[in-house]
Amino acid sequence: MLHRIVVKIGSSSLTSPEGGLNEEATRFLAAELASLVQAGYQPVLVTSGAVAAGFREIGYEQRPKLLHEKQAAAAVGQALLMQAYREAFAEHAVRSAQVLLTRADFNSRKRMGNASMALEELLKQKVIPVINENDTVSVDELKFGDNDTLSALVANLLKADHLLILTDMDGLYTQDPRIDPAAVRISRVEEITEEMLQAAGGAGSSVGTGGMRSKLEAARIATRGGIPVFVGRILHPGELLTAVRGDGHGTYFSTSSSNLPRKKQWLGFLSTPLGRLYVDEGAAEALVHGGRSLLPVGVKQVEGAFHAGDVVEVYGPGESTLGRGIVNYDAEELNTIKGLSSSDVVKQIDVVHRLEVIHRDEWISLK
């Protein structure tokens, strides 16, 4: 079976600081991906760069800030981006295909399944999918964040063997090396902590939208799905293959998890929570570490106007996010029975068939 590799490239690596495509960079990346094909791998490319490629072409002097202007620039830039990729891949007798996705495609489990089938067929036909967010119809509130999150979701969707997030930095550092000369590169991360996320900076360039924090968040999504991640840079021919084989210039994020089931992936990272439940310490322990369901007795506070079958977020003591689950009660019902034992719940409402507020199979921990 071919090893499936998802490679993500950001705007700053494909375009000039002033905007417009860097054709030399595009040809270099295409050659590196072609080398993976020749080595027996099955690469998938997640690319940014449509807005950066198009804003000069459309007539803007600098990257636009208004949503409709960015959407227009993306419409022009996406065509330029795919033309450049198509020509660059053709030099190596490799075929490519454009796939545009939005977060709404992942919010719907049916649409997510359809996207998966299309991508699988492209790979079966030995075509490299070139995936980008559909910036022309996306809204800022629902964007993926320079496609870092998108690459992690695609890697989980396709059950990839590795995710490589390419950037202009050679990995994760203890501090920002552009500011602190004493910063030390971290070669391997076993667990992504809240401290790491807080220490990560913002966007790295004027043409991109993602920084190291968004890459850490993407790595956390991918590793929770059982997919090891590399975050780093490639500058010379052959370095992408070197990174795949474990000796790249960057940081490797390990995983001890098995592949995350598609339903859990959707529940944890794609669904839209419509309410919040606050639980006591015992319920938090049972959910996160005990593999147990959430019972009414553990619920202390209910927020939101949700219905049975909706997704809610669960918070523990100290208002720390524990995870998400599909709730079995309307908010009004749950307010009636919260804090009650199972026997008392039966006396209140005829709900014997659904005593659990959230069943353990309808829950994912985000701790």
Side-chain angles (χ1 to χ4, degrees), residues 147-153 163 165 192 213-223 229:
N147 286 349
D148 293 321
T149 300
L150 175 59
S151 70
L153 298 175
L163 168 62
I165 301 178
I192 300 170
R213 181 183 176 92
S214 72
K215 289 162 181 58
L216 287 178
E217 290 172 340
R220 185 158 66 170
I221 293 172
T223 54
V229 177

Coordinates of all heavy atoms in Angstrom, one line a residue, residues 147-153 163 165 192 213-223 229:
N147 N -4.9 27.8 6.0 CA -5.0 26.4 5.5 C -4.3 25.4 6.4 O -4.2 24.2 6.1 CB -4.5 26.2 4.1 CG -5.6 26.7 3.1 OD1 -6.7 27.1 3.5 ND2 -5.2 26.8 1.8
D148 N -3.7 25.8 7.5 CA -3.1 24.9 8.4 C -4.1 23.9 9.0 O -3.9 22.7 8.9 CB -2.4 25.6 9.6 CG -1.2 26.5 9.1 OD1 -0.5 26.0 8.3 OD2 -1.0 27.6 9.6
T149 N -5.2 24.4 9.5 CA -6.3 23.5 10.0 C -6.8 22.6 8.9 O -7.1 21.4 9.1 CB -7.4 24.3 10.6 OG1 -6.9 25.1 11.7 CG2 -8.5 23.4 11.1
L150 N -7.0 23.2 7.7 CA -7.5 22.5 6.5 C -6.6 21.3 6.2 O -7.1 20.2 6.0 CB -7.6 23.4 5.3 CG -8.0 22.7 4.0 CD1 -9.4 22.0 4.1 CD2 -8.0 23.7 2.9
S151 N -5.3 21.5 6.3 CA -4.4 20.4 6.0 C -4.5 19.3 7.0 O -4.4 18.1 6.7 CB -2.9 20.9 5.9 OG -2.4 21.2 7.2
A152 N -4.7 19.6 8.3 CA -4.9 18.6 9.3 C -6.2 17.8 9.1 O -6.2 16.6 9.3 CB -4.8 19.2 10.7
L153 N -7.2 18.5 8.7 CA -8.5 17.8 8.5 C -8.4 16.9 7.3 O -9.0 15.8 7.3 CB -9.6 18.9 8.4 CG -9.8 19.8 9.6 CD1 -10.9 20.8 9.3 CD2 -10.3 19.0 10.8
L163 N 1.7 14.2 7.9 CA 1.4 15.6 7.5 C 2.6 16.4 7.6 O 3.3 16.4 8.6 CB 0.3 16.1 8.3 CG 0.0 17.6 8.2 CD1 -0.4 18.0 6.8 CD2 -1.0 18.1 9.2
I165 N 3.9 20.2 7.2 CA 3.5 21.6 7.1 C 4.8 22.4 6.8 O 5.6 22.6 7.7 CB 2.8 22.1 8.4 CG1 1.5 21.3 8.6 CG2 2.4 23.6 8.2 CD1 0.8 21.7 9.9
I192 N 1.6 18.5 22.7 CA 1.5 19.9 22.5 C 0.7 20.5 23.7 O -0.4 20.1 24.0 CB 0.7 20.2 21.2 CG1 1.5 19.6 20.0 CG2 0.5 21.7 21.0 CD1 0.7 19.7 18.7
R213 N 1.4 29.5 15.9 CA 0.3 29.0 16.7 C -0.7 28.1 15.9 O -1.1 27.1 16.3 CB -0.4 30.1 17.4 CG -1.6 29.6 18.3 CD -2.4 30.7 18.9 NE -3.5 30.2 19.7 CZ -3.5 29.8 20.9 NH1 -2.4 30.0 21.6 NH2 -4.5 29.3 21.5
S214 N -1.0 28.6 14.7 CA -2.0 27.9 13.9 C -1.4 26.6 13.4 O -2.1 25.6 13.2 CB -2.4 28.7 12.6 OG -1.4 28.8 11.7
K215 N -0.1 26.5 13.3 CA 0.6 25.2 12.9 C 0.6 24.3 14.1 O 0.4 23.1 13.9 CB 2.0 25.5 12.4 CG 2.0 26.2 11.0 CD 3.3 26.9 10.7 CE 3.2 27.5 9.3 NZ 2.1 28.5 9.2
L216 N 0.7 24.8 15.3 CA 0.6 23.9 16.5 C -0.8 23.4 16.6 O -1.0 22.2 17.0 CB 1.1 24.7 17.7 CG 2.6 25.0 17.9 CD1 2.8 25.8 19.1 CD2 3.4 23.7 17.9
E217 N -1.8 24.2 16.4 CA -3.1 23.8 16.5 C -3.5 22.7 15.5 O -4.2 21.8 15.8 CB -4.1 25.0 16.4 CG -4.0 25.9 17.6 CD -4.8 27.2 17.4 OE1 -5.1 27.6 16.3 OE2 -5.1 27.9 18.5
A218 N -2.9 22.9 14.3 CA -3.1 21.9 13.2 C -2.4 20.6 13.6 O -3.0 19.5 13.4 CB -2.6 22.4 11.9
A219 N -1.2 20.7 14.1 CA -0.5 19.5 14.5 C -1.3 18.8 15.6 O -1.3 17.5 15.7 CB 0.9 19.9 15.0
R220 N -1.9 19.5 16.5 CA -2.7 18.9 17.6 C -3.9 18.1 17.0 O -4.2 17.0 17.4 CB -3.1 19.9 18.6 CG -3.8 19.3 19.8 CD -3.8 20.1 21.0 NE -4.6 21.3 20.9 CZ -4.9 22.2 21.9 NH1 -4.5 21.9 23.1 NH2 -5.6 23.3 21.7
I221 N -4.5 18.7 16.0 CA -5.7 18.0 15.4 C -5.2 16.7 14.7 O -5.8 15.6 14.9 CB -6.4 18.9 14.4 CG1 -7.1 20.1 15.1 CG2 -7.4 18.1 13.5 CD1 -7.6 21.1 14.1
A222 N -4.1 16.8 13.9 CA -3.6 15.7 13.2 C -3.1 14.6 14.1 O -3.4 13.4 13.9 CB -2.5 16.1 12.2
T223 N -2.3 14.9 15.1 CA -1.8 13.9 16.0 C -2.8 13.2 16.8 O -2.7 12.1 17.1 CB -0.7 14.5 16.9 OG1 -1.2 15.6 17.7 CG2 0.5 14.9 16.1
V229 N 3.3 14.5 12.5 CA 3.4 15.8 11.8 C 4.8 16.3 11.8 O 5.6 16.2 12.8 CB 2.5 16.9 12.5 CG1 2.6 18.2 11.8 CG2 1.0 16.4 12.4

